[in-house]
Amino acid sequence: MTVNDDAFTNWKTREEIAESMIPIIGRLHREQDVTVLLHSRSLVNKSVVSILKTHRFARQIAGEELSVTDTLPFLQTLTTLDLGPSQIDIGMLAATYRADDRGLSVEEFTAEAVAGATGENKIELREGRDVVLYGFGRIGRLLARLLIEKTGSGNGLRLRAIVVRQGGDQDIVKRASLLRRDSIHGQFQGTITVDEASSTIIANGNEIKVIYAGDPSEIDYTAYGIKDAILVDNTGKWRDREGLSKHLRPGIDKVVLTAPGKGDVPNIVHGVNHDTIKPDEQILSCASCTTNAIVPPLKAMAEEYGVLRGHVETVHSFTNDQNLLDNYHSSDRRGRSAPLNMVITETGAASAVAKALPDLKAPITGSSIRVPVPDVSIAILSLRLGRATTREEVLDYLRNVSLTSPLKRQIDFISAPDAVSSDFIGSRHASIVDAGATKVEDDNAILYLWYDNEFGYSCQVIRVVQHVSGVEYPTFPAPAV
């Protein structure tokens, strides 16, 4: 047998193991609301090849490839436990087990590591929480995809309705088509049908009512069987408490804005300050995509090195508020053709840092350039640190943050030398540290942070919605603090 034959046989073996993992992962998710992760990446509804690629990706983070032969025993053990709703990272289980020197079996170690999700400690399945999307644009449709994907047992978040203005003949058919196919993010994973008579989109069994309204004051959501819902305003039309309060109609309990809030509206970056949300707070903002990209790594660097001052330069993909061709626009430069020009503009992300990190006293400035790509941006974060360090130390630190810290769902890490923007379409992290581009000299550090300003941001919004709804389930093994 040749070396090539050995490699092919090994691949086929790993394919077979990955195939055996799929029904286990699906059953845990469907029946017990358990989401199986691998280094913070969900394995739910993933193909055989996707599962194998996710295992291989661990090589770029941890320095060595993780094999399905390593993780399968932990996954099999989970099926023997009385698990409640939770997120369980089998990559972390395998890594921490390897480092454990107590001589425990896989079964003993796993039972101990996930004890917080079993027996008397487990969260009982509860009634699902209704969600309404006000607006159905770029972010709204991605939020819909995520909510449908995360339906699980039906006891978590349930997308019940979207609210839009009437757009003419076959409006609902056209909106369903935009949900079904996306030029950037690809095909919807599942089936979508439309019932025009009842104004309903049915996506993977989820019945989503399409409500036509020109203003929030026109709607009584209880008339559609919706109660205690979380409404996500992704129009950006209202940004302050007075405007957003219009959404607090019968059937709506809380309002979440997908844009920076103004005035006293809390700006929340999940992973950084979501634990400051007061239980009785009815209106909050998820800040901007760029704020979500820079605040988690800024927090991580401040905790380890101290930050005396900083500047963020955002190279941002063009957005809907720019013109395809030169035309009138309320903002001078944004009126110029987005696909043909680099456009200097402003960003409020730097000033938003103070709201998300009030203890950080360092001045942070910012500016932005829009560039001719439709998605994925990069934030160049230049920092003056509180102490001198080295490039190797900073990279080791950020790699560990992405693997084991409470920020591991926000911060990703890549060391691929040929990475470019399109590689990060579909990333579920708030930002990805590009190791190859990182520069450090004495007390100066420059971090290059990629982020999918559409999908990664939408994932952060969903995490906030899960948190305020009470269905943000704990992750095991618990991340290091």
Side-chain angles (χ1 to χ4, degrees):
M1 182 177 285
T2 66
V3 173
N4 286 340
D5 287 334
D6 285 340
F8 183 68
T9 299
N10 178 264
W11 170 260
K12 300 300 286 184
T13 299
R14 288 186 291 128
E15 263 192 330
E16 184 178 359
I17 293 172
E19 284 175 358
S20 73
M21 298 173 86
I22 291 173
I24 301 175
I25 294 166
R27 198 160 51 246
L28 286 168
H29 185 61
R30 222 172 26 253
E31 298 176 3
Q32 296 170 263
D33 267 353
V34 173
T35 300
V36 177
L37 310 174
L38 189 93
H39 288 313
S40 300
R41 289 165 168 78
S42 173
L43 297 183
V44 176
N45 292 328
K46 294 298 187 290
S47 67
V48 167
V49 172
S50 180
I51 289 173
L52 292 174
K53 286 181 69 175
T54 305
H55 277 74
R56 182 161 175 76
F57 186 80
R59 174 178 57 95
Q60 296 196 43
I61 304 174
E64 57 183 332
E65 186 170 345
L66 187 63
S67 173
V68 286
T69 59
D70 297 323
T71 57
L72 179 63
F74 296 95
L75 182 61
Q76 291 171 325
T77 300
L78 295 181
T79 66
T80 69
L81 301 174
D82 180 26
L83 290 168
S86 55
Q87 300 187 102
I88 299 180
D89 194 320
I90 57 175
M92 285 303 300
L93 280 174
T96 52
Y97 179 69
R98 191 181 300 130
D100 191 87
D101 59 2
R102 293 176 294 164
L104 299 177
S105 66
V106 167
E107 292 77 14
E108 291 169 333
F109 182 85
T110 303
E112 178 184 273
V114 303
T118 61
E120 295 181 354
N121 298 319
K122 74 177 184 179
I123 299 171
E124 295 299 330
L125 289 174
R126 65 193 73 176
E127 186 179 352
R129 188 70 178 269
D130 292 350
V131 178
V132 173
L133 296 177
Y134 197 96
F136 205 52
R138 297 297 304 154
I139 299 301
R141 293 194 295 275
L142 291 177
L143 292 175
R145 286 188 174 201
L146 286 164
L147 288 164
I148 294 163
E149 171 195 302
K150 295 178 180 295
T151 301
S153 67
N155 294 285
L157 300 176
R158 301 183 306 187
L159 177 56
R160 297 294 307 281
I162 61 173
V163 182
V164 292
R165 291 178 180 272
Q166 180 72 51
D169 293 341
Q170 290 198 308
D171 179 274
I172 190 172
V173 173
K174 292 176 181 178
R175 293 186 189 277
S177 181
L178 286 169
L179 178 62
R180 186 180 290 114
R181 287 179 287 272
D182 189 283
S183 300
I184 297 169
H185 301 284
Q187 297 277 346
F188 173 80
Q189 296 301 303
T191 63
I192 294 175
T193 57
V194 174
D195 185 339
E196 289 188 80
S198 64
S199 192
T200 302
I201 295 173
I202 304 168
N204 291 358
N206 294 264
E207 293 190 5
I208 307 162
K209 192 73 176 179
V210 179
I211 302 171
Y212 293 103
D215 188 82
S217 62
E218 301 175 14
I219 313 168
D220 179 347
Y221 292 95
T222 60
Y224 302 94
I226 296 168
K227 60 179 182 179
D228 298 325
I230 298 172
L231 183 145
V232 184
D233 183 329
N234 54 94
T235 68
K237 182 176 181 180
W238 302 278
R239 305 268 292 276
D240 59 12
R241 187 172 295 276
E242 181 182 0
L244 293 168
S245 293
K246 296 179 180 181
H247 290 303
L248 293 173
R249 302 285 298 156
I252 303 299
D253 180 52
K254 295 180 185 293
V255 179
V256 174
L257 171 66
T258 64
K262 294 182 178 180
D264 66 342
V265 174
N267 280 259
I268 303 300
V269 174
H270 191 276
V272 174
N273 67 338
H274 67 276
D275 55 354
T276 65
I277 301 173
K278 298 175 182 177
D280 60 349
E281 179 60 75
Q282 289 189 287
I283 295 173
L284 54 92
S285 156
C286 289
S288 70
C289 56
T290 302
T291 303
N292 276 265
I294 66 173
V295 167
L298 185 56
K299 173 182 169 65
M301 293 297 287
E303 288 177 346
E304 179 66 17
Y305 300 102
V307 172
L308 303 182
R309 65 172 179 268
H311 176 80
V312 59
E313 188 75 36
T314 303
V315 182
H316 199 291
S317 59
F318 61 78
T319 59
N320 267 341
D321 77 319
Q322 294 174 256
N323 290 334
L324 285 174
L325 295 171
D326 291 359
N327 213 335
Y328 176 82
H329 194 291
S330 58
S331 172
D332 295 334
R333 296 185 200 256
R334 291 195 190 194
R336 302 298 299 278
S337 172
L340 297 178
N341 294 290
M342 292 189 292
V343 179
I344 297 174
T345 186
E346 68 284 341
T347 176
S351 59
V353 169
K355 287 189 174 183
L357 288 174
D359 293 336
L360 182 68
K361 304 305 180 185
I364 306 292
T365 57
S367 52
S368 181
I369 302 172
R370 297 288 177 92
V371 294
V373 294
D375 187 31
V376 180
S377 305
I378 189 167
I380 305 168
L381 186 58
S382 180
L383 303 174
R384 173 77 181 276
L385 304 177
R387 65 176 175 87
T389 182
T390 64
R391 181 174 181 272
E392 291 72 22
E393 182 189 343
V394 168
L395 290 179
D396 283 344
Y397 170 65
L398 291 175
R399 181 187 292 110
N400 287 329
V401 166
S402 74
L403 267 176
T404 63
S405 82
L407 290 170
K408 65 181 182 179
R409 285 201 290 171
Q410 282 70 45
I411 300 175
D412 203 1
F413 186 94
I414 189 166
S415 56
D418 56 350
V420 294
S421 62
S422 61
D423 296 331
F424 305 103
I425 294 174
S427 169
R428 294 177 182 245
H429 289 78
S431 62
I432 305 101
V433 176
D434 191 314
T438 301
K439 294 175 172 55
V440 179
E441 185 175 349
D442 295 328
D443 59 353
N444 291 291
I446 303 176
L447 307 182
Y448 286 73
L449 308 166
W450 298 101
Y451 58 108
D452 184 329
N453 48 278
E454 292 187 336
F455 196 74
Y457 175 67
S458 295
C459 289
Q460 281 287 89
V461 173
I462 292 295
R463 290 170 189 137
V464 171
V465 173
Q466 287 176 318
H467 178 74
V468 299
S469 68
V471 296
E472 183 183 33
Y473 301 135
T475 301
F476 299 95
V481 178

